[in-house]
Amino acid sequence: MAKKMLGMLLTSALVCGSLGAGTGHAQSGRALPAEKKEVKNVILFITDGMSLSDVNLTRWVQGGKPLEMDAYFKGLVRTYASDSLTTDSAAGASAYATGHKVKSETVSISPDKVTMPFIDKPSEQETAKPLPTLLEAARLKGKGTGLVFTCELTDATPAVFASHAESRDNAHSIAEQMVYSGVDLVLGGGSGYLVPGDKEINRKDGEDLTKVLKANGYEYATSRIDLLSSQTNKIWGLFNEGALDADLDLDPQKQPTLAEMTTIAANKLSSNENGFFLMVEASQIDWFGHDNDPVGIVTETQAFDRALKAAIDFAKKDGNTAVISVSDHATGGLNMTNYDTMKDLQPIFTKAKHTSYGLEGRINESNYKKMLEEEYGLSDLTKEEEEAVKKGLKDNLSPVIGGILGERAGVSFSTGDHTSEEVGLFAYHPNDFLPTDYAGRGVVENTDVGKYLQLILGLDLPALENKLFLPASDLEAKGAKVTVDKSDKENPVVVVTKGTKTIKLPVDKNIALTDGKTIKLSTPTLLIKNKVWVSKDAVALIQ
């Protein structure tokens, strides 16, 4: 009987694997007429680093009761990059933003390295080319656009929707592109990246980008109170110099929750009669996965679940909004090996007053016993655990606290890095047309989700690929000479000359300087791997 059951399980696994890799299409959703597939608004959640094991643990911590997301689970997503089985956030999120697999660490540009199957390698001329994003296409179509996150604005996931870069580490360039991107609403952390100063995150070019925002008609909010009292729909709200505090740690007088930001963003963007595209990232599930902190993972997953509920409540009331939730990848390899009961598991988490990050600056070698007892109920540290805490205080305490709590909860981790496992797909569509209907299978590619989003929003990103960002050769074909002035290394300028006419295109800005005038362009001028990319309207300035 056991052999027969094993055979049935193997057969089932093979069938599921074949379906996941196949190209057949389900007919029920695809048979809908186009007007039933398209929606006015899309709210896309990206739960950075969230695995299905994280979801399972969170469910048990809250007593086994279903999470909001449980009702909308629709399938699995494969997340590999163009050059790796395991992706990073930049490549993982770029696939959703552009509908293309890209190289790890790159921000919405075509890959110059393709080592994985099923991916066409671009020609030499097309490598490192900016790929149009959902946000850019939605903005050009007249829709409202927004980004909500709990990390810094320059972090990989928000960056890929409103900027393009050879490396996700190019924070200076990414921040400037985002400010000049034309996005209507930005809520999250990272104000330090916009202003000059002595800190590592501050701008070294002397520019204060908050002044640029205000000059372009944006309200600039720095606290939760500012956000709640805001009357404008064109707003940047950055509520910390770096990332926001974790949900369990934040001061509600200073920083809004993810659910609050999601609700406010949807309500503000809905004033656009053409609809909107909003990306919401639950950023820090990934960070606690890296540090193997189960309390952080659970509480951040719960914070996302509340934000998802807020979005779906909005969508059901609106009647013309789809809500999709995916992860860019999983992180940490969480395993539950608990043979005890739920009631043995719960107290380890319910006693926690803060995440391990919330102890930073407050815990030291003289008070750690008292702090760990007050914060987590840990009054029975072993000698080995005490030594580990002392060592962690000099290096990184988060994995140490996570390990101690995990040992008691029956939770362990296989890595402090990303994993290549499939992630969950959660979806709501008013006419029940889902990404799995579009792909025709239950295990979909991350690029399938990106293309699905294009379809339901009525966006044609492939058509924009040869229109939105044009190579310098298009200027040269009109008889112009193109050079790059790098005399100010922090602010290079593309200089275009033809006869007596000179046009200056500051890199990462959507402006042209000519004949003493400043002309606004549809997209910023870019310099990626020494290749110049300009907007179509910049080319049109050359007669």
Short mmCIF file of all heavy atoms in Angstrom, two decimals, residues 38 85 107 161 186-187 211 236 239 298 303 371 382 384 418 446 455 482 543:
data_model
loop_
_atom_site.label_atom_id
_atom_site.label_comp_id
_atom_site.label_asym_id
_atom_site.label_seq_id
_atom_site.Cartn_x
_atom_site.Cartn_y
_atom_site.Cartn_z
N GLU A 38 -9.89 43.84 -18.59
CA GLU A 38 -9.28 45.11 -18.21
C GLU A 38 -9.97 45.72 -17.00
O GLU A 38 -11.19 45.59 -16.82
CB GLU A 38 -9.31 46.09 -19.38
CG GLU A 38 -8.33 45.73 -20.49
CD GLU A 38 -8.13 46.86 -21.48
OE1 GLU A 38 -8.50 48.01 -21.17
OE2 GLU A 38 -7.59 46.60 -22.56
N LEU A 85 19.63 30.84 -10.82
CA LEU A 85 18.46 30.15 -10.28
C LEU A 85 17.82 30.95 -9.15
O LEU A 85 16.60 30.98 -9.01
CB LEU A 85 18.87 28.77 -9.74
CG LEU A 85 19.14 27.67 -10.77
CD1 LEU A 85 19.88 26.52 -10.12
CD2 LEU A 85 17.83 27.18 -11.36
N VAL A 107 18.65 47.13 -12.57
CA VAL A 107 17.38 47.80 -12.33
C VAL A 107 16.69 48.12 -13.65
O VAL A 107 17.04 49.07 -14.35
CB VAL A 107 17.62 49.11 -11.53
CG1 VAL A 107 16.32 49.87 -11.31
CG2 VAL A 107 18.29 48.81 -10.19
N PHE A 161 10.61 50.36 -10.54
CA PHE A 161 9.41 50.87 -11.19
C PHE A 161 9.59 52.29 -11.70
O PHE A 161 8.84 52.72 -12.58
CB PHE A 161 8.22 50.80 -10.21
CG PHE A 161 7.72 49.41 -9.99
CD1 PHE A 161 8.25 48.62 -8.99
CD2 PHE A 161 6.73 48.88 -10.80
CE1 PHE A 161 7.80 47.32 -8.79
CE2 PHE A 161 6.27 47.58 -10.62
CZ PHE A 161 6.81 46.80 -9.61
N VAL A 186 4.57 59.05 -3.54
CA VAL A 186 5.61 58.18 -3.00
C VAL A 186 5.52 58.26 -1.48
O VAL A 186 5.59 59.34 -0.90
CB VAL A 186 7.02 58.63 -3.46
CG1 VAL A 186 8.10 57.82 -2.74
CG2 VAL A 186 7.17 58.49 -4.96
N LEU A 187 5.36 57.10 -0.82
CA LEU A 187 5.26 57.04 0.64
C LEU A 187 6.18 55.94 1.15
O LEU A 187 6.10 54.79 0.71
CB LEU A 187 3.82 56.74 1.08
CG LEU A 187 2.72 57.69 0.62
CD1 LEU A 187 1.37 57.19 1.10
CD2 LEU A 187 2.98 59.11 1.10
N LYS A 211 13.67 70.34 -2.75
CA LYS A 211 13.32 71.62 -3.37
C LYS A 211 12.79 71.41 -4.79
O LYS A 211 11.89 72.13 -5.24
CB LYS A 211 14.54 72.55 -3.39
CG LYS A 211 14.98 73.00 -2.01
CD LYS A 211 16.18 73.94 -2.10
CE LYS A 211 16.60 74.40 -0.70
NZ LYS A 211 17.80 75.30 -0.76
N TRP A 236 4.88 63.46 -1.86
CA TRP A 236 5.96 62.57 -1.44
C TRP A 236 5.98 62.61 0.08
O TRP A 236 6.08 63.68 0.68
CB TRP A 236 7.32 63.06 -1.96
CG TRP A 236 7.64 62.60 -3.35
CD1 TRP A 236 6.91 62.78 -4.48
CD2 TRP A 236 8.83 61.89 -3.75
NE1 TRP A 236 7.54 62.23 -5.56
CE2 TRP A 236 8.72 61.67 -5.14
CE3 TRP A 236 9.95 61.42 -3.08
CZ2 TRP A 236 9.71 61.00 -5.87
CZ3 TRP A 236 10.93 60.76 -3.80
CH2 TRP A 236 10.82 60.55 -5.18
N PHE A 239 9.23 59.24 5.82
CA PHE A 239 9.01 59.39 7.24
C PHE A 239 10.20 58.96 8.10
O PHE A 239 10.06 58.76 9.30
CB PHE A 239 7.75 58.61 7.63
CG PHE A 239 6.58 58.94 6.73
CD1 PHE A 239 6.15 58.05 5.75
CD2 PHE A 239 5.95 60.18 6.83
CE1 PHE A 239 5.10 58.37 4.91
CE2 PHE A 239 4.90 60.51 6.00
CZ PHE A 239 4.47 59.60 5.02
N VAL A 298 7.17 37.22 11.28
CA VAL A 298 5.74 37.05 11.56
C VAL A 298 5.03 38.40 11.64
O VAL A 298 3.96 38.59 11.04
CB VAL A 298 5.54 36.24 12.85
CG1 VAL A 298 4.10 36.34 13.35
CG2 VAL A 298 5.91 34.78 12.62
N ALA A 303 1.58 42.59 9.20
CA ALA A 303 1.40 43.98 8.74
C ALA A 303 1.02 44.00 7.26
O ALA A 303 0.16 44.79 6.85
CB ALA A 303 2.68 44.78 8.97
N MET A 371 17.00 42.99 29.59
CA MET A 371 16.31 43.37 28.36
C MET A 371 15.65 42.16 27.70
O MET A 371 14.49 42.23 27.27
CB MET A 371 17.29 44.02 27.38
CG MET A 371 17.73 45.41 27.77
SD MET A 371 16.43 46.64 27.52
CE MET A 371 16.36 46.69 25.74
N THR A 382 20.81 29.79 28.53
CA THR A 382 21.90 28.87 28.85
C THR A 382 23.23 29.61 28.79
O THR A 382 23.32 30.74 28.28
CB THR A 382 21.94 27.71 27.85
OG1 THR A 382 22.29 28.23 26.55
CG2 THR A 382 20.59 27.00 27.76
N GLU A 384 25.73 28.89 26.93
CA GLU A 384 26.08 29.03 25.51
C GLU A 384 25.33 30.19 24.87
O GLU A 384 25.88 30.94 24.06
CB GLU A 384 25.78 27.73 24.75
CG GLU A 384 26.68 26.55 25.11
CD GLU A 384 26.31 25.90 26.44
OE1 GLU A 384 25.22 26.22 26.99
OE2 GLU A 384 27.11 25.08 26.93
N HIS A 418 18.88 34.50 0.10
CA HIS A 418 17.68 34.20 -0.68
C HIS A 418 17.65 32.73 -1.04
O HIS A 418 18.68 32.04 -1.02
CB HIS A 418 17.67 35.02 -1.98
CG HIS A 418 17.67 36.49 -1.75
ND1 HIS A 418 17.83 37.40 -2.78
CD2 HIS A 418 17.52 37.24 -0.62
CE1 HIS A 418 17.79 38.63 -2.30
NE2 HIS A 418 17.61 38.56 -0.99
N ASN A 446 7.44 34.84 -13.13
CA ASN A 446 7.25 36.22 -12.67
C ASN A 446 6.98 37.16 -13.86
O ASN A 446 6.24 38.13 -13.74
CB ASN A 446 8.44 36.70 -11.84
CG ASN A 446 9.80 36.43 -12.47
OD1 ASN A 446 9.91 36.10 -13.66
ND2 ASN A 446 10.85 36.59 -11.67
N LEU A 455 -1.74 43.59 -19.53
CA LEU A 455 -2.99 43.29 -20.22
C LEU A 455 -4.19 43.92 -19.51
O LEU A 455 -5.02 44.59 -20.14
CB LEU A 455 -3.17 41.78 -20.33
CG LEU A 455 -4.51 41.29 -20.90
CD1 LEU A 455 -4.66 41.73 -22.35
CD2 LEU A 455 -4.63 39.78 -20.79
N VAL A 482 27.14 64.00 -30.36
CA VAL A 482 26.75 63.71 -28.97
C VAL A 482 28.01 63.44 -28.15
O VAL A 482 28.80 62.56 -28.48
CB VAL A 482 25.81 62.49 -28.90
CG1 VAL A 482 25.41 62.22 -27.45
CG2 VAL A 482 24.57 62.72 -29.76
N GLN A 543 16.34 69.39 -35.36
CA GLN A 543 15.65 69.49 -36.66
C GLN A 543 16.57 69.01 -37.79
O GLN A 543 17.77 69.09 -37.71
CB GLN A 543 15.22 70.94 -36.90
CG GLN A 543 14.31 71.47 -35.80
CD GLN A 543 13.04 70.65 -35.63
OE1 GLN A 543 12.44 70.21 -36.62
NE2 GLN A 543 12.61 70.44 -34.40
#
